[in-house]
Amino acid sequence: MYVLFESPKPLDDFGGWGGNVGNFDQVVGYSFLGHMFVTMSISPEYAVLHPFRESYKQYGQFSDVAEFRHNILDDAGFAEYVLRPLHVERLAAILGPLAKDQVYIPLPYPHLGGDESLESYTTGKFREFMILVAASHGYA
């Protein structure tokens, strides 16, 4: 349902999100539906960016990514609400499993009128997806 990077990547590599997610400046991973997991280089704070909503939710401080994964990403409630395993399972049955660095993408994007119906999805590279969604919000 998600991918964690071996080491954090600069948020600036994923479009114009910098400055739009507080002091979060590093990406530690992403969900198969395109949520971005972020942290700060100056603090062990973690958050999840919901790109279509143009918002993020802070989850507090964790000693490392493994603790964040254990306490947040692997939590059943978080999985049900954010990772949406049944939705992802249905998408995989229709579109096939994701290749490396890919996510499932609804078209049009929900904030541009899309409805996230199973038939509306395609696949694409995570980085390019984040850049395009940032641009659709007007972030350079």
Side-chain angles (χ1 to χ4, degrees):
M1 299 298 120
Y2 61 84
V3 171
L4 294 174
F5 301 137
E6 287 187 33
S7 59
K9 299 179 184 295
L11 180 62
D12 290 341
D13 289 354
F14 298 90
W17 295 104
N20 295 296
V21 287
N23 291 323
F24 294 95
D25 61 348
Q26 296 182 329
V27 180
V28 297
Y30 60 91
S31 79
F32 289 177
L33 297 175
H35 303 91
M36 191 160 37
F37 312 138
V38 295
T39 188
M40 297 180 196
S41 56
I42 60 170
S43 170
E45 297 272 341
Y46 285 82
V48 175
L49 171 67
H50 300 263
F52 295 134
R53 293 185 190 159
E54 228 178 328
S55 67
Y56 63 98
K57 181 173 180 180
Q58 293 182 248
Y59 285 93
Q61 294 188 355
F62 297 94
S63 60
D64 56 22
V65 176
E67 185 182 14
F68 171 68
R69 181 190 72 229
H70 175 74
N71 288 291
I72 303 302
L73 302 180
D74 293 342
D75 176 77
F78 180 87
E80 186 66 29
Y81 180 72
V82 178
L83 301 178
R84 300 173 62 194
L86 184 56
H87 193 68
V88 170
E89 184 179 307
R90 290 177 177 150
L91 289 170
I94 295 168
L95 297 171
L98 293 169
K100 184 178 186 212
D101 300 325
Q102 283 192 323
V103 292
Y104 294 112
I105 304 168
L107 296 174
Y109 298 151
H111 66 284
L112 299 175
D115 63 6
E116 294 184 87
S117 62
L118 293 173
E119 302 78 26
S120 73
Y121 278 81
T122 188
T123 59
K125 294 285 189 177
F126 171 67
R127 182 177 175 274
E128 286 78 9
F129 163 72
M130 291 307 295
I131 291 169
L132 290 171
V133 174
S136 75
H137 287 303
Y139 304 151

